[in-house]
Each structure stands twice: as structure tokens, then as C-alpha cells.
Amino acid sequence: SQKIEQNSEALNIQEGKTATLTCNYTNYSPAYLQWYRQDPGRGPVFLLLIRENEKEKRKERLKVTFDTTLKQSLFHITASQPADSATYLCALGTGTASKLTFGTGTRLQVTL
Amino acid sequence: GAVVSQHPSWVICKSGTSVKIECRSLDFQATTMFWYRQFPKQSLMLMATSNEGSKATYEQGVEKDKFLINHASLTLSTLTVTSAHPEDSSFYICSARDHRASGSVSGELFFGEGSRLTVL
């Protein structure tokens, strides 16, 4: 069966460090992968998109990698700040349908 | 970025009543909107794809007679939870893509703020 797995345990890091979140998938052939941020009681907010033919994407302090051989995406936040504390969701999409399938999300906590 | 507005943000109702949730794209047109459901500490589960001017496409296991979806215009989709029961209590979130970007199916989704439904 298809699965999208993110570390269900919260990731706690110190301010200024780089946070790395993982998204693994099985039985999927995604055409693209997206990362979203979700704060408690709020809807998700889009962060980055990476396509299957792309290895890496950057946006300010954010970096996403996409390894279709390992079936994995890594999401990095450099110079992390307490304001980065939130739940981060990865979502996979195929080229034949416009709907997204979301992972379970990883809670990031950045402390001073 | 584009804005999607959802209303109400929270609602409490008695068991057996029906509740309507509205999802509006404020500054763009959306031929397709998506309705998700999220339980505490769980991911978003797609319930249905709402298509403007046609019937919604429901995901497996979602009762179409229970969750009525209407997408009457390019800026409004509604989800009605009929004869709500306590197990329907959840966080319902809608999302949409900008119609102008519909040629690219990989475009970002703009989400509403969600509607917290509590059925007593």
C-alpha cells in the first residue's frame, strides 16, 4: 500500500542550528513533492515545490532535496529561529491528478 | 499570495443537525477545490474534490450523502455535514488552486484557515 512517512516524534533543536526533516514514501511515483507549514489550529501554508527531475531547491533559509531512488525528501531550515516552530508536512502529487496526498507531519520546536 | 477564506472557523452543534461550511477564494477563481479532514495530531485526509459546475469526486470511504459538496461558482464551494454525530467532530479544511495556473497541476494549494466542528 502507498505510504508517506514523516518522523512522528517532535524534533527539538537549538536556535541557530539547522533543522532537517525527513519524508519517505513507498509505492508512489510522484511527479512532484511539496512542503507545507502548519501552525496549531490553522490551515497549512505552502513553502516549497520540487519536481521529480530536480535534486534540490532553495528559498531563503529553506532547502529541499528530492531523491527518487531513495524515495526520500529532506527539508532543511538553516539558522533556525523560535518562529520556525510549527508542524511541517510533505505532500506528494502525481502528474495525472491534481490532488495531493499528505504525510503525517513532523513537529519542530526551536528553543533559545 | 492568493487568499482562501473559510467560514465558520468553529461551530458547535447538536447531534442530528446539519452544518454548512463555506470556502471562498477571495482574489482568484478556482475551478477545483479540495476538502480535507484532520484529526488531532494526524495528517490531512482528502475527503473530496469539488468541481465547479459538476459533481464532486469523493475519496474511497467518504459518504457522499453524509458530506454534501456544492461548487456553484468559481469562488465558492460548500461542505454540508448532514445529520452530524459526535464522530464527525473534526477540523475541516478546504484548499484551492488558482484557476489561472490550472494548466500546471503541480501548483501550490492555498488553504483556508479551517473549521473546527464539535458535535455534542
Side-chain angles (χ1 to χ4, degrees):
Chain A
S1 61
Q2 295 178 324
K3 273 187 183 179
I4 304 173
E5 293 181 318
Q6 295 184 255
N7 194 336
S8 58
E9 294 185 12
L11 177 63
N12 294 293
I13 66 165
Q14 199 173 23
E15 181 182 23
K17 303 289 186 183
T18 296
T20 299
L21 287 71
T22 305
C23 176
N24 295 296
Y25 59 92
T26 54
N27 295 321
Y28 264 109
S29 294
Y32 58 94
L33 188 149
Q34 299 182 0
W35 283 88
Y36 288 80
R37 168 184 173 142
Q38 186 176 25
D39 290 287
R42 310 290 293 273
V45 175
F46 172 81
L47 296 174
L48 278 169
L49 158 74
I50 187 165
R51 302 182 193 282
E52 60 177 336
N53 60 347
E54 297 174 319
K55 296 292 185 186
E56 182 179 298
K57 268 283 187 67
R58 291 176 185 262
K59 180 183 176 182
E60 298 173 352
R61 293 186 295 112
L62 308 180
K63 184 178 84 171
V64 172
T65 62
F66 194 10
D67 189 325
T68 55
T69 301
L70 291 178
K71 297 186 184 298
Q72 180 182 78
S73 175
L74 299 179
F75 178 77
H76 306 272
I77 306 176
T78 59
S80 58
Q81 305 165 0
D84 295 326
S85 300
T87 295
Y88 291 86
L89 303 164
C90 69
L92 274 61
T94 67
T96 57
S98 59
K99 62 183 182 182
L100 290 177
T101 304
F102 284 81
T104 51
T106 297
R107 169 86 183 142
L108 172 66
Q109 186 69 43
V110 181
T111 55
L112 296 171
Chain B
V3 177
V4 173
S5 173
Q6 212 173 316
H7 177 82
S9 55
W10 58 270
V11 58
I12 301 172
C13 68
K14 292 182 179 179
S15 186
T17 60
S18 294
V19 174
K20 180 186 283 188
I21 301 170
E22 292 187 349
C23 179
R24 293 181 185 273
S25 55
L26 297 186
D27 52 359
F28 68 100
Q29 294 181 328
T31 54
T32 303
M33 290 185 175
F34 303 92
W35 286 96
Y36 290 85
R37 182 174 179 173
Q38 188 177 35
F39 290 107
K41 296 187 179 181
Q42 294 190 23
S43 187
L44 284 76
M45 296 302 297
L46 180 65
M47 298 175 65
T49 301
S50 173
N51 304 299
E52 188 267 334
S54 64
K55 292 182 179 179
T57 304
Y58 289 82
E59 294 300 301
Q60 192 173 11
V62 178
E63 298 176 57
K64 59 181 67 177
D65 295 329
K66 173 77 171 176
F67 300 99
L68 300 179
I69 291 173
N70 184 276
H71 195 154
S73 76
L74 285 172
T75 60
L76 173 64
S77 175
T78 61
L79 168 68
T80 301
V81 183
T82 62
S83 187
H85 288 95
E87 58 265 30
D88 298 324
S89 299
S90 188
F91 192 51
Y92 293 88
I93 314 175
C94 71
S95 67
R97 279 200 179 91
D98 191 333
H99 173 72
R100 293 165 296 182
S102 62
S104 169
V105 295
S106 59
E108 65 182 282
L109 286 178
F110 297 100
F111 282 86
E113 289 296 335
S115 299
R116 172 80 55 197
L117 170 63
T118 301
V119 184
L120 303 176

